[in-house]
């Protein structure tokens, strides 16, 4: 039931995803069973790998996340997190209320011991065709240096496990390349990172290089800055969207639909949060990203690193 | 002598600017007189409205700004500020060492009494063709709410005086539209601004709207965030630069050359800082922007507001 175009976009995205998932994968949809089945029926029927768990409620985008999560105990998000916690599913993804998803992450899945603050990252496609992981992009908007340092570890694990990069280059987003540049937080963070044995720190990176892919595979920043950068990139994408062909490599990289969702890093389960305005294509890619995160054991790598 | 392509780009930009300035305007160039005259000679001669003040030194981009400013007492930047202070010139612009320019602003021109911290803003062109003033873009990277509040006043004055907007819409850059969104600084700043009688506060704005021109004429943010956004916009501009025609309205807006420079707001004199890699076109526009700021009495409007 999640996202501006649910349940239709979710069902259509699921139909496409069902064609690509591994034979052992089961896609479980949480929502209004009758409404969901109708959409499957109108679009060639429900694929064999899809199951539906009926839930009678849905959390709206404008509801108070904590209240809605606890009061609507039969909402698709609440039931999904319950199933995740008890192991009925291996991962959970939704384009629904980001606030309610985060409540589930923090109250039900919970932070991995040793992690100060979880993070959400965004895997951006560089013009080189490589993925650049920008984190945090909005979960933690007042980051202290020790938190940013841990984001370096998290981003490095993600790039290694999910993007298959042996020794990911981790950079600190800053407004100058020299170590002494930046604000109080980045100057202190740079000093912490410069001595890191936990990841391959390559120094500061300026935001003009985010999409170049030249300097870093992982870019660490405060969630306020990361969110502002991500939204500016989205805004600029929309300015160019009708000027350039959709298959232009730069446009493809900027199109959030190709990424599908952002993983929540540093919690005990695999959770992916999609864009509120997710299209069927975005949903398909969100499902496939979730399957990949599960298959490659992303969460267990995090647990090992923070023991 | 300022900028990566000086003195040639400066002289060529001056020749173009000389064609457009008011008949009473004199453009004074500070630098190596012989070198400058040679370039004029090779390009049709020195226009009548141009004067050259010979200076024997130049501050390099990699020099320590404060040391270089005081030790190189015959550098183009140091002499320019001396002339500005004594009233020999009405405004000073350079694409040279930003650090040295700022030393001149702070030590020679000095902050207007009542202004907590000066600011540099960037006048961005929206897709509607209107100018959006983003400030601060890098001068003050750890802004407190009272400083951001004053940036609202400064941006509003700039938009009124320079862009001719009667009641400029001032917004606070944030990662959500609701007042309670954001980090500690923006939440507190929102509360301060919400009661403002000093400017027309229209609430929070997300970075995806910077170039839309729909919501705000002035966007206030911390210098770290503003600098990161500006550099991301530059980076994205360069990704699209060879894909779209240069006269595309979006590309024109993103092209820093059309802006030419950023005014230093909140000091006692008219100072404009250009991009280090300024082309002749950027220099021309920097000179014309400086002339406009002088002609419209920008600095005196600031002094009136902060009495």
């Amino acid at each position: 039931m999640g996202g501006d175009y649910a349940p239709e976009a979710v069902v259509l995205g699921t139909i496409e995803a069902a064609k690509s998932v591994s034979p052992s994968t089961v896609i479980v949809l949480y929502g209004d069973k009758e409404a969901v089945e109708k959409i499957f029926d109108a679009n060639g029927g429900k694929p064999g790998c899809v199951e539906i768990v009926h839930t009678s409620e849905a959390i709206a985008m404008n509801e108070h996340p904590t209240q809605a999560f606890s009061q609507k105990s039969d909402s698709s998000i609440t039931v999904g997190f319950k199933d995740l916690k008890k192991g009925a599913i291996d991962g959970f993804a939704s384009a629904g209320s980001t606030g309610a998803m985060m409540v589930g992450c923090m109250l039900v899945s919970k932070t991995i011991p040793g992690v100060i603050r979880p993070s959400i990252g965004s895997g951006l496609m560089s013009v080189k065709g490589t993925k650049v992981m920008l984190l945090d992009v909005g979960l933690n908007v007042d980051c202290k240096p020790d938190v940013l340092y841990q984001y370096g570890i998290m981003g490095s694990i993600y790039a290694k496990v999910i993007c298959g990069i042996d020794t990911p280059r981790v950079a600190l987003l800053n407004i100058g390349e020299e170590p002494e540049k930046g604000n109080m937080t980045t100057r202190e963070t740079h000093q912490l990172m410069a001595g890191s044995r936990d990841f391959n720190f390559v120094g500061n990176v300026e935001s003009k290089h985010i999409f170049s892919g030249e300097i870093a595979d992982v870019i660490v920043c405060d969630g306020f800055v990361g969110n502002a950068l991500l939204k500016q990139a989205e805004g600029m994408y929309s300015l160019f969207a009708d000027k350039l062909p959709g298959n232009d490599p730069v446009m493809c990289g900027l199109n959030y639909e190709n990424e599908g969702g952002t993983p929540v890093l540093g919690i005990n389960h695999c959770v992916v949060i999609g864009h509120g305005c997710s299209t069927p294509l975005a949903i398909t890619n969100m499902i496939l990203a979730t399957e990949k995160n599960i298959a490659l054991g992303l969460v267990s790598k995090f647990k090992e690193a923070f023991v």
Side-chain angles (χ1 to χ4, degrees), chain A:
Chain A
M1 312 309 287
D4 300 342
Y5 308 121
E8 180 147 24
V10 178
V11 174
L12 296 180
T14 301
I15 291 171
E16 279 309 304
K19 297 175 186 165
S20 311
V21 292
S22 141
S24 62
T25 292
V26 178
I27 306 175
V28 187
L29 297 184
Y30 293 83
D32 182 330
K33 195 168 186 174
E34 202 179 324
V36 169
E37 279 177 341
K38 254 188 203 158
I39 304 168
F40 274 124
D41 290 345
N43 291 279
K46 184 169 75 64
C49 67
V50 175
E51 290 178 9
I52 304 171
V53 172
H54 178 70
T55 57
S56 61
E57 295 175 295
I59 298 175
M61 288 299 202
N62 57 358
E63 284 188 270
H64 188 283
T66 318
Q67 280 175 8
F69 190 88
S70 60
Q71 286 167 6
K72 290 191 164 173
S73 61
D74 199 39
S75 78
S76 46
I77 289 180
T78 312
V79 177
F81 269 103
K82 275 182 211 156
D83 278 4
L84 186 66
K85 176 96 176 184
K86 70 182 184 201
I89 54 176
D90 298 305
F92 185 54
S94 172
S97 161
T98 303
M101 286 295 286
M102 286 316 305
V103 171
C105 289
M106 305 313 283
L107 299 187
V108 181
S109 175
K110 293 183 180 153
T111 306
I112 292 172
V115 170
I116 309 170
R117 294 279 185 98
S119 175
I120 50 175
S122 187
L124 305 167
M125 197 62 77
S126 77
V127 291
K128 291 171 71 181
T130 58
K131 206 178 248 192
V132 175
M133 186 67 174
L134 181 72
L135 78 167
D136 184 74
V137 294
L139 189 50
N140 189 1
V141 295
D142 282 296
C143 288
K144 297 223 160 57
D146 54 354
V147 169
L148 290 171
Y149 181 88
Q150 282 200 343
Y151 289 174
I153 302 176
M154 294 185 188
S156 186
I157 294 172
Y158 182 88
K160 204 179 286 187
V161 176
I162 302 297
C163 310
I165 302 167
D166 263 351
T167 312
R169 300 163 298 170
V170 178
L172 177 66
L173 186 94
N174 211 331
I175 58 169
E177 286 166 16
E178 305 84 350
E180 68 278 8
K181 282 289 173 76
N183 57 18
M184 286 184 291
T185 304
T186 57
R187 287 198 300 269
E188 203 180 313
T189 304
H190 188 103
Q191 287 189 322
L192 275 181
M193 288 185 168
S196 174
R197 290 182 181 187
D198 294 317
F199 51 85
N200 171 29
F201 182 56
V202 295
N204 292 337
V205 65
E206 291 191 314
S207 51
K208 64 183 167 192
H209 293 300
I210 291 176
F211 291 103
S212 77
E214 293 289 346
I215 291 173
D217 306 303
V218 175
I219 298 179
V220 173
C221 62
D222 175 274
F224 187 94
V225 175
N227 194 275
L229 289 171
L230 199 63
K231 283 180 177 157
Q232 175 172 260
E234 281 178 18
M236 293 181 74
Y237 171 80
S238 68
L239 293 184
F240 290 111
D242 54 1
K243 293 179 188 283
L244 285 168
N247 61 358
D248 178 278
V250 177
M251 293 306 282
C252 282
L254 290 176
N255 184 353
Y256 80 94
E257 292 175 300
N258 294 326
E259 177 65 9
T262 61
V264 182
L265 304 174
I267 60 170
N268 286 298
H269 300 87
C270 173
V271 175
V272 174
I273 297 181
H275 207 296
C277 62
S278 284
T279 58
L281 175 60
I283 296 286
T284 301
N285 286 318
M286 179 174 77
I287 293 170
L288 297 178
T290 308
E291 184 196 35
K292 187 175 183 182
N293 292 355
I294 297 166
L296 295 174
L298 183 63
V299 171
S300 62
K301 304 286 183 196
F302 270 78
K303 288 180 180 169
E304 286 164 22
F306 285 95
V307 159

